[in-house]
């Protein structure tokens, strides 16, 4: 596909942007005192050099009460100079256009962070923080609007080319817009007109302060996805009014943080929310940006061609691969590191107050610390194991100029990715293997499949270094009946090695593997997505009946575990979505439950209230894994340098595997 639209310039109120790619605002937590740190500087510089058209720095705090010190500030004059030197540098060295986003979190701010009780249109508790804000007085309203204006002027003085006002995600302006959080009886509450007043006044006042010629954007929720909240219709109306009030661009994202509709997880279909941008675009004349899960360049190009929007937001795709725009423009598609929407390094980190990192890009947030430099002495490197740790190590080592051979005992690369990608919504993981194998081929890594590396071969061929990345193997519980024929392992189920799975299934182990296997089993009876489109398009079934089909699992699936919280090793932003799916599919989750015995047709468990026998014609074990590092032991006395990484060292998360692969390669 030719990327014609993606690289067409566009002009926003006199500001010409070289292409249609936007890096939207993302809180990175690379500061702890509102300052613009060297880490932020290096992160953004690398993305600017990678070819993005319009890059949003921040969000930036307009005051303390509506923010967190993990974001840069624009509420003090001292914030201007460091940002100015940064924008000057990027304007000098690149042709990126720079935006910043002005944020006030309203009721989603934390007292323990700011030291002040959060304020909001009405005292409606926040599901995010558990706190109840104070209702804003007319004086508060004026004060906050003044803060927006002053921050916008500082942004202009700091050299930004565009200022974006955040009016989405359940933060302050969207709290005014929504009847869910705005219960006011004055001129800022009640009718849609009144609820729009605060946001429109902010836009009007910022516009008037900046002058007519300065580009001003607004970011809105295309649909709040909140019960009783605003839909795409109200979003489009607000966008049209924002345009009248002076907005030059409308960035349309998905719903609120508090919604129960997933926004960013890998089960959100690519391009899912483009229809929201399209709905807004019909009502406005200014450029519209579409957002969320548009990282696939072909999808981005097709979306632009469809006329749904004028620009495409690439958030996490640019964390994973800063060079994405240039790689697409230069036709280097096989070099792209595709974001898999796992949220493990980025969104999950933010929600636990940690710095953003990336599962697939160990350099994200460490741009100045970690660089792949050419090896002074190229070495002969053997990597045993073609899972993520081994592949990342092979890739990085080859990039540094080493001669790398990768040995994989199976007939395909991927290791545990090959099972992790099977449950619903996890297919994105396949991109890791696809992307890494393409990049290994480009860099000349010799990949030997169905070829386990042996100690004998190491002795014969004498590599300088052996990297053991042989992963892990599943373990089973030591209870009576664990070796009965109807007892199988979750890994074998996910790899489709188990032909007969009964109707009454008990899964032992409620970690990610156990819960995701449960999800997988319950959707085996659900028709494919295309079937639903067909049924609804032709009105073959009523939507209510189609939905029943969607939620109908043909099996009784029970997950038991001693822990008191299932899927505890799943990241915060993905866990609730998995739990919701299990609930919708009727999976029974039994926490605080100890396995006692497995019989021919039952699983006997013990809970706080006594013993219970659960009927089971298939029992699936998901109780963990043990490192597989025999090769390292065999080579211990050989005199060969051996580095053990990833699960072969200790079973952990994907991010640990990739990071260790990368770091091992740098240490060769
Ligand atoms: C770590 C992180 C922080 C984010 N912070 C903000 C924010 O402060 N303001 C905002 O408008 N969107 C924020 N977002 C949402 C992104 O701008 C973007 O809409 C979202 O990541 C979906 O796009 P993507 O699929 O291209 O990543 C954040 C996203 C991530 C991953
Ligand atoms: S951590 Fe996962 S979701 Fe976040 S940018 Fe990296 S690959 Fe994408």
């Amino acid at each position: 596909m030719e990327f014609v639209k993606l690289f067409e310039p566009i002009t926003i109120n006199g500001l010409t942007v070289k292409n249609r790619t936007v890096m939207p605002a993302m809180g990175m937590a690379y500061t702890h005192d509102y300052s613009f740190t060297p880490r932020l500087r290096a992160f953004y510089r690398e993305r600017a050099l990678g070819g993005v058209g319009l890059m949003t720095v921040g969000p930036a705090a307009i005051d303390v009460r509506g923010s967190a010190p993990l974001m840069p500030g624009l509420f003090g004059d001292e914030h201007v100079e460091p940002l100015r030197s940064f924008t000057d540098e990027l304007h000098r060295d690149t042709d990126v256009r720079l935006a910043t986003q002005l944020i006030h979190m309203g009721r989603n701010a934390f007292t323990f962070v700011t030291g002040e009780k959060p304020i909001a249109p009405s005292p409606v508790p926040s599901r995010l923080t558990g706190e109840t804000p104070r209702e804003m007085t007319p004086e508060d309203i004026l004060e906050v609007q003044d803060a927006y204006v002053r921050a916008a002027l500082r942004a202009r003085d700091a050299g930004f080319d565009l200022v974006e006002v955040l009016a989405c995600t359940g933060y302050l302006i969207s709290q005014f817009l929504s009847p869910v959080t705005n219960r006011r009886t004055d001129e800022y509450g009640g009718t849609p007109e009144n609820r729009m007043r605060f946001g429109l006044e902010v836009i009007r006042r910022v516009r008037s302060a900046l002058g007519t010629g300065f580009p001003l954007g607004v970011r809105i929720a295309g649909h709040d996805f909140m019960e009783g909240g605003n839909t795409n219709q109200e979003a489009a109306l607000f966008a049209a009014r924002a345009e009248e009030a002076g907005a030059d661009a409308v960035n349309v994202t998905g719903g609120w943080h508090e919604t129960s509709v997933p926004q960013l997880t890998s089960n959100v279909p690519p391009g899912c929310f483009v229809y929201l941008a399209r709905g807004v675009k019909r009502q406005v004349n200014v450029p519209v940006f579409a957002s969320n899960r548009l990282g696939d360049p072909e999808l981005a190009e097709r979306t632009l061609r469809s006329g749904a929007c004028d620009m495409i937001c690439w958030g996490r795709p640019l964390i994973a691969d800063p060079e994405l725009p240039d790689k697409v423009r230069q036709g280097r598609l096989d070099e792209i590191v595709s974001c898999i929407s796992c949220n493990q390094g980025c969104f999950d980190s933010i929600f636990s107050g940690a710095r953003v990192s990336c599962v697939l890009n160990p350099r994200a947030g460490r741009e100045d610390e970690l660089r792949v430099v050419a090896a002074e002495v190229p070495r002969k490197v053997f990597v045993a194991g073609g899972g993520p740790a081994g592949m990342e190590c092979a890739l990085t080592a080859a990039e540094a100029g080493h001669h790398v051979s990768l040995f994989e005992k199976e007939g395909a690369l991927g290791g545990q990715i090959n099972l992790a990608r099977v449950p619903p919504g996890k297919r994105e993981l396949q991109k890791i293997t696809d992307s890494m194998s393409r990049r290994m081929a480009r860099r000349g890594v010799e990949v030997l499949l169905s070829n386990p590396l042996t100690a004998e071969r190491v002795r014969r061929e004498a590599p300088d270094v052996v990297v053991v990345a042989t992963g892990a193997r599943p373990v089973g519980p030591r209870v009576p009946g664990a070796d009965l024929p109807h007892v199988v392992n979750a890994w074998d189920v996910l790899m489709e090695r188990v032909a007969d799975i009964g109707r009454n299934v008990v899964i032992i182990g409620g970690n990610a593997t156990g819960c995701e296997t449960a999800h997988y089993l319950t959707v085996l009876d659900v028709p494919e997505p295309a079937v639903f489109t067909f049924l609804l398009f032709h009105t073959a079934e009523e939507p209510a009946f189609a939905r029943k089909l969607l939620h109908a699992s043909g099996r009784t699936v029970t997950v038991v575990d001693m822990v008191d919280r299932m899927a505890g090793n799943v990241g915060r932003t993905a866990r609730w979505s998995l739990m919701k799916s299990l609930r919708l599919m009727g999976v029974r989750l039994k926490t605080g439950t100890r396995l006692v015995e497995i019989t021919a047709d039952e699983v006997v468990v013990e809970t706080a209230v006594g013993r219970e026998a659960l009927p089971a014609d298939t029992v699936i074990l998901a109780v963990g894994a043990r490192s597989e590092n025999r090769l390292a032991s065999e080579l211990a006395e050989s005199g060969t340098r051996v580095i053990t990484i990833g699960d072969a060292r200790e079973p952990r998360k994907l991010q640990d595997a990739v990071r260790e692969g990368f770091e091992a390669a740098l240490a060769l």
Side-chain angles (χ1 to χ4, degrees):
M1 176 181 232
E2 258 192 273
F3 297 98
V4 181
K5 288 284 177 194
L6 208 46
F7 294 99
E8 236 174 42
I10 183 170
T11 302
I12 303 171
N13 188 9
L15 176 75
T16 300
V17 182
K18 66 180 167 185
N19 62 40
R20 302 302 177 102
T21 64
V22 181
M23 184 164 116
M26 286 181 289
M28 307 305 292
Y30 292 167
T31 177
H32 61 278
D33 58 1
Y34 297 106
S35 66
F36 193 67
T37 57
R39 191 185 297 280
L40 281 165
R41 209 174 167 125
F43 173 83
Y44 287 119
R45 181 178 168 85
E46 188 140 327
R47 272 89 199 148
L49 290 170
V52 65
L54 178 66
M55 183 168 77
T56 316
V57 172
I62 63 160
D63 68 11
V64 169
R65 188 164 45 195
S67 67
L70 303 178
M71 55 182 77
L74 269 174
F75 54 82
D77 291 341
E78 71 280 10
H79 296 136
V80 174
E81 194 40 48
L83 285 164
R84 178 87 223 184
S85 95
F86 162 76
T87 59
D88 282 349
E89 174 192 308
L90 290 194
H91 283 142
R92 185 192 66 218
D93 297 349
T94 75
D95 50 4
V96 73
R97 299 296 183 225
L98 295 168
T100 190
Q101 181 187 68
L102 306 184
I103 189 172
H104 191 297
M105 295 161 76
R107 77 199 246 279
N108 285 339
F110 291 87
T111 306
F112 85 92
V113 174
T114 63
E116 296 180 60
K117 193 175 175 68
I119 54 172
S122 304
V124 179
S126 161
R127 287 226 299 266
L128 212 62
T129 65
E131 293 190 52
T132 303
R134 172 171 73 69
E135 177 167 313
M136 286 169 78
T137 61
E139 293 73 34
D140 291 325
I141 287 177
L142 270 181
E143 194 185 300
V144 172
Q145 290 181 346
D146 285 347
Y148 272 107
V149 169
R150 283 195 300 269
L153 290 173
R154 288 191 191 100
R156 189 190 62 186
D157 293 347
F160 286 104
D161 304 304
L162 183 148
V163 168
E164 180 179 85
V165 171
L166 179 146
C168 56
T169 332
Y171 291 128
L172 185 64
I173 294 180
S174 45
Q175 290 161 24
F176 270 96
L177 290 173
S178 169
V180 176
T181 43
N182 184 343
R183 312 264 170 86
R184 300 178 75 93
T185 51
D186 62 5
E187 72 269 34
Y188 289 99
T191 63
E193 194 61 33
N194 281 357
R195 283 185 273 113
M196 286 192 288
R197 190 179 311 279
F198 176 79
L200 293 176
E201 282 178 358
V202 169
I203 293 167
R204 225 172 273 129
R205 290 193 56 195
V206 168
R207 158 57 69 221
S208 130
L210 291 173
T212 48
F214 192 91
L216 171 63
V218 59
R219 192 166 209 210
I220 65 168
H223 190 311
D224 293 351
F225 294 124
M226 295 284 288
E227 206 182 330
N230 290 324
T231 68
N232 192 229
Q233 235 180 321
E234 290 81 26
L237 174 67
F238 179 67
R241 298 295 305 278
E243 179 183 2
E244 282 168 22
D248 300 312
V250 184
N251 185 341
V252 183
T253 179
W256 285 23
H257 284 311
E258 291 157 276
T259 171
S260 61
V261 178
Q263 307 290 300
L264 295 180
T265 35
S266 61
N267 57 347
V268 176
C272 185
F273 300 128
V274 167
Y275 79 97
L276 300 177
R278 185 179 283 115
V280 169
K281 183 150 172 68
R282 288 197 184 113
Q283 303 299 326
V284 299
N285 304 299
V286 291
V288 168
F289 309 172
S291 183
N292 296 40
R293 300 277 286 123
L294 288 165
D296 173 355
E298 294 196 358
L299 172 61
E301 173 72 21
R302 276 200 304 274
T303 302
L304 288 166
R305 287 185 189 190
S306 78
C309 61
D310 305 282
M311 297 193 84
I312 294 288
C313 289
W314 281 345
R316 293 165 300 167
L318 284 170
I319 299 180
D321 192 339
E323 257 195 287
L324 174 60
D326 273 355
K327 285 179 180 171
V328 178
R329 188 173 53 82
Q330 295 160 3
R332 294 154 55 208
L333 299 186
D334 56 353
E335 286 184 54
I336 293 171
V337 181
S338 305
C339 165
I340 51 168
S341 287
C342 64
N343 287 345
Q344 283 176 24
C346 54
F347 220 45
D348 283 347
S349 298
I350 281 292
F351 277 95
S352 49
R355 253 177 17 211
V356 165
S357 59
C358 175
V359 162
L360 300 182
N361 175 6
R363 292 190 62 244
R366 300 172 74 192
E367 283 78 9
D368 273 353
E369 286 163 51
L370 296 177
R371 281 184 197 282
V372 182
V373 288
E376 281 173 23
V377 186
R379 299 190 196 284
K380 179 174 172 179
V381 181
F382 278 9
V383 178
M391 290 193 289
E392 177 67 28
C393 183
L395 256 173
T396 311
E399 194 181 339
H402 298 294
H403 307 294
V404 187
S405 303
L406 183 147
F407 300 81
E408 168 54 49
K409 72 173 170 23
E410 302 292 339
L413 290 168
Q416 283 181 53
I417 291 172
N418 293 324
L419 34 122
R421 69 171 184 208
V422 176
K426 301 298 291 288
R427 206 173 302 165
E428 290 286 286
L429 285 166
Q430 180 58 31
K431 284 184 182 169
I432 303 178
T433 315
D434 294 346
S435 153
M436 285 187 174
S437 10
R438 280 196 301 261
R439 286 182 288 142
M440 283 196 292
R442 263 187 95 88
R443 287 183 196 156
V445 174
E446 182 191 22
V447 175
L448 299 113
L449 298 178
S450 307
N451 221 321
L453 180 61
T454 59
E456 205 277 314
R457 184 164 189 166
V458 171
R459 273 189 282 275
R460 206 173 56 234
E461 300 189 17
D464 298 308
V465 188
V466 173
V467 178
V468 176
T470 39
R473 65 194 134 89
V475 291
R478 285 202 199 97
V479 293
D483 50 1
L484 286 169
H486 67 302
V487 181
V488 295
N489 195 278
W491 291 24
D492 289 331
V493 171
L494 294 173
M495 293 297 281
E496 296 188 320
R497 291 186 193 126
V498 182
D500 290 318
I501 297 176
R503 293 278 132 188
N504 271 321
V505 180
V506 174
I507 299 177
I508 313 294
N511 59 11
T513 309
C515 289
E516 284 174 352
T517 304
H519 192 195
Y520 163 75
L521 291 177
T522 56
V523 302
L524 287 178
D525 291 305
V526 172
E528 289 293 315
V531 174
F532 288 100
T533 310
F534 175 88
L535 295 178
L536 294 178
F537 184 83
H538 292 285
T539 326
E541 295 290 356
E542 288 304 317
F545 182 76
R547 184 164 338 118
K548 261 192 199 159
L549 289 179
L550 203 53
H551 292 161
S553 157
R555 289 186 165 78
T556 304
V557 179
T558 309
V559 185
V560 302
D561 201 312
M562 278 169 31
V563 296
D564 54 11
R565 190 167 177 268
M566 291 288 182
N569 61 342
V570 176
R572 180 170 170 182
T573 60
R575 184 179 175 276
W576 66 264
S577 166
L578 173 61
M579 289 294 115
K580 176 182 172 186
S581 300
L582 295 181
R583 186 169 35 79
L584 287 173
M585 298 310 293
V587 173
R588 294 164 60 201
L589 300 174
K590 290 182 74 68
T591 52
T593 303
R594 189 176 69 85
L595 171 66
V596 176
E597 184 188 3
I598 302 170
T599 69
D601 53 6
E602 283 176 344
V603 170
V604 181
V605 294
E606 194 165 63
T607 66
V609 292
R611 286 207 171 185
E612 188 182 348
L614 308 168
D617 40 24
T618 301
V619 179
I620 300 176
L621 304 177
V623 290
R626 181 180 306 136
S627 294
E628 173 59 76
N629 52 17
R630 231 170 318 159
L631 181 62
S633 321
E634 287 169 16
L635 292 175
E637 307 293 318
S638 67
T640 310
R641 186 173 165 215
V642 177
I643 306 175
T644 306
I645 59 170
D647 279 10
R649 196 158 117 190
E650 187 193 336
R652 280 154 305 155
K653 292 198 163 191
L654 174 61
Q655 183 160 10
D656 301 303
V658 174
R659 182 181 38 76
E660 278 178 16
F662 182 79
E663 286 173 358
L666 295 194
L668 287 172

